Amino acid sequence: MTLRAHAGVARPGGLCEDDKDTTRRIGSVSMADFAQRRRTMVDTQIRPSDVTSFTVIDAMLNVPREAFVPDDARDLAYVGGPIPVTATRQLMEPRTIAKMLEAVDVTPSDLVLEIGPGTGYTTALLARMAEAVVAVEEDEGLARDAEAALSLQEVDNAAILTGALAEGSARNGPYDAIVAFAGVEQMPQAILDQLKEGGRILALFMDGQLGEVRIGVKIHGVVSWHMEFNATAPVLPGFGRAPSFVF
């Protein structure tokens, strides 16, 4: 698949559709207001967090976060905290997403597996940076919402698949990069097996209330991990630590 410019998702140097049509509105907020909020988000949350990647900043400036949150949370789309999307799932705060994107360093030739895309915002960001994205979501309601939002944004190089998160999508791999914008306590071997030799995998490893974003690289079939920064998020279904038994 090839990446092309979509309505409302301008390429670098151009204007977003939001900037050109100030009469369009979502609820009580005009599209131009949301575009300004995106710029403010980048200037006050992303750049001060030492995110310098041009492709990451471009994606954060041009993908409309408000299109991927619940209707009653659109006014909060650009605040500095996470946004709940179900009782147990959330959309991470922009700062953490941007820092994770910079760490995994997605390139235009990459095939990316995303685990737990939720409403599809991070899928849209990845799709802007990669050749193609395969996103696996086991919550059927979230999968439908993500498909609808991506379709409205005309993202044509990403596929939302419904299935168990911990199984990934081996039939579409192996992948240059694997990303989970959520908490995990352990990474299933089935996911690690879908990573290409030399590929990168990124996730937020939780230990109680504390978490570390770690990136792993597969060399000679073994994934070696190192820490990037601290963050926190709910643990994805199927990624909890197996209970230990004491006799």
Side-chain angles (χ1 to χ4, degrees):
M1 299 179 184
T2 57
L3 181 63
R4 61 182 178 86
H6 302 304
V9 187
R11 305 311 294 162
L15 287 175
C16 290
E17 180 178 320
D18 298 348
D19 296 322
K20 294 184 286 185
D21 183 353
T22 61
T23 63
R24 295 181 59 192
R25 307 183 74 84
I26 295 180
S28 61
V29 182
S30 73
M31 301 297 281
D33 287 342
F34 276 128
Q36 180 56 53
R37 291 184 188 187
R38 267 197 305 286
R39 288 189 287 269
T40 300
M41 172 192 74
V42 169
D43 289 342
T44 63
Q45 299 178 47
I46 308 305
R47 296 185 196 273
S49 298
D50 296 325
V51 175
T52 60
S53 165
F54 176 82
T55 55
V56 172
I57 290 173
D58 170 66
M60 301 296 290
L61 278 171
N62 285 282
V63 174
R65 186 172 164 98
E66 74 276 5
F68 295 91
V69 300
D71 290 348
D72 59 0
R74 281 180 173 152
D75 281 352
L76 304 175
Y78 296 102
V79 299
I83 296 176
V85 294
T86 71
T88 59
R89 301 278 296 278
Q90 66 180 29
L91 174 61
M92 281 181 164
E93 64 272 17
R95 169 187 175 275
T96 299
I97 291 172
K99 287 173 68 70
M100 291 180 75
L101 285 171
E102 184 164 69
V104 76
D105 192 23
V106 173
T107 71
S109 62
D110 281 346
L111 174 62
V112 179
L113 173 65
E114 183 183 13
I115 305 298
T119 58
Y121 174 64
T122 48
T123 312
L125 293 169
L126 288 167
R128 191 173 175 85
M129 304 167 66
E131 181 174 3
V133 181
V134 175
V136 178
E137 179 54 66
E138 68 181 35
D139 184 305
E140 293 184 0
L142 287 177
R144 285 193 299 270
D145 290 345
E147 285 184 331
L150 291 167
S151 178
L152 285 173
Q153 295 301 314
E154 300 182 11
V155 177
D156 63 359
N157 63 330
I160 302 291
L161 306 181
T162 304
L165 302 181
E167 294 179 5
S169 181
R171 64 187 176 89
N172 291 298
Y175 301 94
D176 300 289
I178 299 175
V179 187
F181 293 96
V184 305
E185 291 179 336
Q186 53 86 33
M187 187 61 67
Q189 188 62 42
I191 299 296
L192 299 176
D193 289 344
Q194 295 171 42
L195 187 65
K196 280 184 181 178
E197 180 71 13
R200 297 94 63 209
I201 181 168
L202 186 76
L204 169 52
F205 284 80
M206 296 298 299
D207 184 6
Q209 298 300 310
L210 304 176
E212 295 180 350
V213 172
R214 301 175 191 167
I215 188 162
V217 179
K218 181 181 276 190
I219 303 295
H220 303 306
V222 178
V223 175
S224 297
W225 298 90
H226 71 263
M227 176 189 171
E228 288 289 328
F229 59 94
N230 294 112
T232 186
V235 174
L236 286 171
F239 288 78
R241 191 177 294 109
S244 57
F245 296 95
V246 178
F247 296 94

